[in-house]
Amino acid sequence: PETWEGDVMSFDLSLDAMAAAAFPQRMKTSMSELAPAWPSSVHDALDRWPLKGPGTVVMDPQFFMQRAAPMAARPAGGPVFFPGGARHLRLPSAKLVQATGEHISGRNLRGLLGYSAPGQEFGELLAQMPDSIACGHFDLARATSNSSAGPDSEFVLEVALNKQPLGLQCEPRTWTCGAVIRTVLPGSEAERAGCRVGDVVRRVGDLDVSTAPLEDVDKFLQMAPPVRLVLERPKLLDHLYLRETLASDEAVQVFAGAGQSAKELVPELAQRIGSRHLFISERTPMLFAGDGGTASHVHIDNKPLIQFCHVIHGIKLFGVAPSAPWVSQDAAAEKAYGEVCLHVDIPLAEDAREWLERPDTSVCAMQPADLLLFPGRKPHFGANGLGGVSVALFHGARNMADMANGVFGPAFQELALRQLRAGA
């Protein structure tokens, strides 16, 4: 029931009333503006309450410190979401939230990284970045065209590399597919042929590799010479996504300004929640930053960690579910479907819409200072809401029960068993 009446008083227990009382400072922008391509049922659910689907919304710091870790580690449990958790727990990330808001001041990601004018090549942008950012990973799915330019395009180069080793190294153009050159060794065959850092590999021989898994592209690059490549130097668009970059002081200060740091965040959080249920060995989080409209693909992490997400700037819509048709533990589904991203401003395929609307698919609408715990071995994704750059910090923790069962090897097993004996 939404109301309760007693002899002396009555309570309004409607979801709207509880949300207004518990989260008076929640986002004022509607979900239809932040994620216009998503189903209206998801809009309605998140406009009323910050979590759609299974999971726990925490409102009390003491409860979070005592119960969040075991709840997040439950095999059948949903995510644990603490709106405003950084402020309530007085974590160092709360200071970062304020500093980042002031420093970003409406700029897009290219502007923050050193070049705001349109029409720049990716390699040129990399050359202007601090080293801590330039060595990170970039998803260029929406920052460059998905299809190869014509052979007469001024941005296309055909090269022949006549001996192995080629002297170049690639990383994915998107999250796992395609290839963009990130290293060209001085004096190498690749440098002699005219390859540059930032070039997108469109073809290897007669093979179109624009959407091929990177591991396949690497194999093609090992073929007997001559290795003929079609390279593209496209001009960057506005939708750029920086992912999995170590949150060093230099990297953090690109987004939060001089003097800012995230180095105390994980140790302080580890001290707050203790080590009875989770073992937090990571000390520096990973930084993710993307323009509005960018998104990760639906995926499963390689390691069975409990992941922490701290939103520092912008709006991040984060989804977790027990299963998804496009991913599987053995990666067979990924090979069949490829990458599936749930962008907020591009019409979704019908199966993606249905998956988002499923009762067991949890979706959190996260804003700055929010804190989320979720199991990394369940299918999950993040989508950056429209309206500005989203910045978040991620770090993982090992479930002590998994450690005790030998999931992470004998060294971690012995550590967990000693910890459990000491706490008995």
Side-chain angles (χ1 to χ4, degrees):
E2 292 197 345
T3 60
W4 179 89
E5 293 188 7
D7 295 335
V8 178
M9 64 182 67
S10 63
F11 294 99
D12 181 356
L13 301 178
S14 70
L15 194 62
D16 292 335
M18 286 191 292
F23 314 119
Q25 302 301 319
R26 292 303 293 177
M27 59 188 75
K28 305 302 182 183
T29 307
S30 70
M31 285 297 118
S32 61
E33 296 177 73
L34 294 168
W38 281 18
S40 59
S41 62
V42 178
H43 295 164
D44 294 343
L46 293 176
D47 280 337
R48 295 189 69 197
W49 190 251
L51 171 65
K52 167 211 165 290
T56 303
V57 178
V58 176
M59 306 179 192
D60 177 68
Q62 195 66 28
F63 181 93
F64 177 87
M65 289 187 289
Q66 294 177 352
R67 301 289 301 279
M71 293 179 74
R74 293 178 303 176
V80 178
F81 183 34
F82 193 1
R87 288 191 294 268
H88 294 303
L89 295 168
R90 298 181 180 178
L91 294 175
S93 49
K95 180 181 177 182
L96 284 179
V97 168
Q98 180 176 353
T100 303
E102 296 171 354
H103 185 72
I104 289 181
S105 187
R107 286 179 287 175
N108 64 10
L109 187 52
R110 284 188 293 110
L112 290 164
L113 297 179
Y115 196 90
S116 58
Q120 187 182 33
E121 295 175 6
F122 181 47
E124 294 172 335
L125 182 62
L126 287 172
Q128 293 175 313
M129 298 178 194
D131 290 342
S132 58
I133 298 292
C135 68
H137 305 287
F138 286 85
D139 173 20
L140 303 178
R142 298 190 64 189
T144 60
S145 170
N146 283 324
S147 58
S148 298
D152 297 328
S153 169
E154 61 179 310
F155 305 124
V156 169
L157 176 68
E158 297 184 14
V159 299
L161 291 83
N162 295 314
K163 64 179 181 179
Q164 293 281 6
L166 305 182
L168 59 79
Q169 185 175 10
C170 297
E171 71 170 26
R173 185 181 68 86
T174 61
W175 288 78
T176 61
C177 296
V180 58
I181 298 175
R182 292 301 306 269
T183 302
V184 176
L185 297 179
S188 66
E189 181 68 7
E191 184 183 55
R192 183 204 63 76
C195 299
R196 295 184 192 170
V197 170
D199 286 352
V200 175
V201 181
R202 292 300 186 181
R203 301 186 71 86
V204 180
D206 294 330
L207 302 171
D208 185 342
V209 298
S210 299
T211 59
L214 179 65
E215 59 187 27
D216 291 348
V217 181
D218 285 337
K219 291 177 183 177
F220 300 150
L221 290 173
Q222 300 303 316
M223 66 175 58
V227 180
R228 300 187 183 279
L229 306 180
V230 175
L231 306 175
E232 186 180 359
R233 292 177 186 150
K235 304 301 183 182
L236 287 177
L237 307 175
D238 287 335
H239 293 83
L240 192 62
Y241 200 168
L242 169 67
R243 59 184 177 87
E244 297 174 318
T245 300
L246 194 68
S248 65
D249 288 353
E250 182 183 56
V252 168
Q253 288 168 17
V254 169
F255 300 94
Q260 300 301 319
S261 174
K263 63 184 178 183
E264 299 299 327
L265 173 60
V266 179
E268 189 163 329
L269 181 62
Q271 184 178 15
R272 299 284 184 88
I273 66 176
S275 57
R276 181 179 178 185
H277 300 284
L278 296 179
F279 178 70
I280 302 178
S281 57
E282 297 179 7
R283 284 297 178 261
T284 304
M286 304 302 288
L287 186 149
F288 288 65
D291 290 311
T294 55
S296 72
H297 66 304
V298 181
H299 65 285
I300 296 174
D301 291 346
N302 293 327
K303 295 181 180 179
L305 301 180
I306 301 299
Q307 295 286 353
F308 290 75
C309 172
H310 307 255
V311 173
I312 305 301
H313 187 270
I315 303 298
K316 182 171 286 292
L317 305 175
F318 204 91
V320 185
S323 64
W326 320 287
V327 295
S328 57
Q329 299 287 346
D330 61 2
E334 289 89 331
K335 293 180 181 179
Y337 288 98
E339 294 180 339
V340 174
C341 297
L342 281 65
H343 297 106
V344 298
D345 57 343
I346 297 177
L348 300 179
E350 188 59 32
D351 59 347
R353 295 179 64 87
E354 291 175 355
W355 185 76
L356 269 181
E357 293 182 296
R358 263 176 28 180
D360 62 348
T361 298
S362 303
V363 181
C364 300
M366 303 181 66
Q367 66 180 25
D370 287 355
L371 176 58
L372 178 71
L373 281 73
F374 66 95
R377 285 296 281 175
K378 289 185 178 181
H380 59 275
F381 76 96
N384 298 318
L386 299 182
V389 173
S390 171
V391 180
L393 301 174
F394 286 80
H395 57 93
R398 292 173 172 85
N399 183 354
M400 290 293 287
D402 287 341
M403 289 173 58
N405 289 329
V407 171
F408 298 100
F412 282 108
Q413 184 178 32
E414 178 60 28
L415 179 64
L417 292 175
R418 288 204 307 265
Q419 180 73 25
L420 293 172
R421 286 194 293 267

